[in-house]
Amino acid sequence: MTDYNQNPFASTHSLDTNPFDDPAPPQQSTDVRLEQLRQRELDLQRREQELAAKADHMRKNGRNNWPPFLPLIFHSIPDEIPEASQTLITRLYQLWLVLAATLILNMVACITILIAGSRDGGRDLGASIGYLFAISAASFLLWYRPIYNGYMKEQALYYYMYFFFGGFHLLFSVYMIIGVPSTGSAGLIQMIQMYAQRQWIAAVFCTVATVGWAVQGLGNAYYYRQIYAHHNAAGHSMEKAKAELASHGAKAYFTRG
């Protein structure tokens, strides 16, 4: 007997599959593949940029550029000094340039003192020529370069080198500001004598030299205090300096990084 209550579509419904089981539409798969390719392309571009930046850094840091007329060392504050300390090191470098210019002006002033008829003019000129070469080189190597390395590498040894030789330079600046005759300084005493003798050209050059000695001396004294405060805040000690000297030796002075 036929069961008229039986659903004639039951068999048909039993064969239906879940529509959510269907594979992803072709367009969706294509979009996924395109996104993956785009990400890979971005990764490759980023890697290429990083390699280019490293190559550029090595090119810059691997080439001596100072002094410009005879490159012996690499010197680049933006490339080697942390950003927070770049202003301070830039100011110290500018003060060193003022010192170099003052040494030249001091020598010229001593030439004018000699021409003015000073009995100590010959000794002043000879000493001033010696200062021009010795002090310019020694100041760069013994106090400017150590503090440059100190902020670049943040090692205690360089700070102690700077404090010792930088302190000596401050005393030398005071000595040159005073301007005792026959010492090679066209400082205050020499300046006053030239004005008293109405040797105006010599007096003007002595004035300029005295101002130069004062500017670079006071500037270095100001930053000397700042560097000493930074040195204390960083926790540097003589023990660390001795350990660095034993570990790296003098070679570290001439290397970067």
Side-chain angles (χ1 to χ4, degrees):
M1 181 176 180
T2 304
D3 187 359
Y4 292 100
N5 294 325
Q6 184 179 0
N7 189 344
F9 301 101
S11 59
T12 303
H13 284 291
S14 64
L15 296 175
D16 286 346
T17 57
N18 192 329
F20 294 104
D21 293 339
D22 290 342
Q27 182 62 39
Q28 183 178 352
S29 299
T30 302
D31 291 343
V32 171
R33 286 195 294 270
L34 288 174
E35 178 64 22
Q36 291 175 345
L37 290 173
R38 190 178 71 85
Q39 290 295 332
R40 290 178 183 175
E41 184 177 356
L42 290 175
D43 289 341
L44 287 173
Q45 290 178 354
R46 184 168 58 252
R47 291 178 184 176
E48 288 177 357
Q49 290 174 354
E50 291 175 353
L51 289 173
K54 289 180 179 179
D56 185 60
H57 182 76
M58 291 299 296
R59 178 181 60 81
K60 291 179 179 178
N61 291 4
R63 181 179 300 170
N64 294 336
N65 63 353
W66 198 96
F69 54 86
L70 182 63
L72 297 174
I73 61 173
F74 181 79
H75 178 270
S76 177
I77 293 172
D79 287 325
E80 296 192 302
I81 305 300
E83 186 175 356
S85 304
Q86 287 180 8
T87 299
L88 184 147
I89 298 300
T90 300
R91 295 291 179 268
L92 287 176
Y93 181 60
Q94 292 169 345
L95 286 171
W96 183 85
L97 292 175
V98 171
L99 168 64
T102 301
L103 287 164
I104 295 173
L105 290 170
N106 183 76
M107 181 188 69
V108 174
C110 287
I111 292 174
T112 62
I113 290 172
L114 176 62
I115 294 173
S118 171
R119 64 179 183 180
D120 297 312
R123 286 192 290 269
D124 281 320
L125 179 57
S128 68
I129 293 173
Y131 291 152
L132 174 60
F133 293 101
I135 299 301
S136 58
S139 59
F140 188 90
L141 294 174
L142 297 179
W143 65 258
Y144 173 72
R145 192 64 180 179
I147 198 58
Y148 181 98
N149 285 339
Y151 274 87
M152 176 174 65
K153 304 177 184 181
E154 204 57 59
Q155 293 181 357
L157 178 61
Y158 296 109
Y159 285 90
Y160 283 102
M161 287 181 64
Y162 166 77
F163 292 138
F164 179 79
F165 292 108
F168 178 81
H169 177 72
L170 293 177
L171 295 176
F172 176 76
S173 297
V174 173
Y175 169 77
M176 295 300 284
I177 289 170
I178 295 172
V180 177
S182 77
T183 63
S185 168
L188 282 171
I189 296 176
Q190 297 268 48
M191 179 186 72
I192 293 170
Q193 287 183 350
M194 291 301 104
Y195 277 114
Q197 297 171 17
R198 299 182 183 275
Q199 299 290 339
W200 305 118
I201 296 177
V204 169
F205 275 104
C206 287
T207 301
V208 175
T210 301
V211 171
W213 288 119
V215 168
Q216 65 84 34
L218 292 172
N220 275 300
Y222 174 77
Y223 288 110
Y224 192 95
R225 292 183 60 187
Q226 284 197 4
I227 293 168
Y228 187 77
H230 171 80
H231 155 80
N232 287 336
H236 296 307
S237 65
M238 184 60 72
E239 288 71 22
K240 288 178 64 176
K242 291 178 180 179
E244 290 164 4
L245 180 61
S247 175
H248 305 296
K251 181 179 69 174
Y253 181 89
F254 300 99
T255 58
R256 298 190 299 269

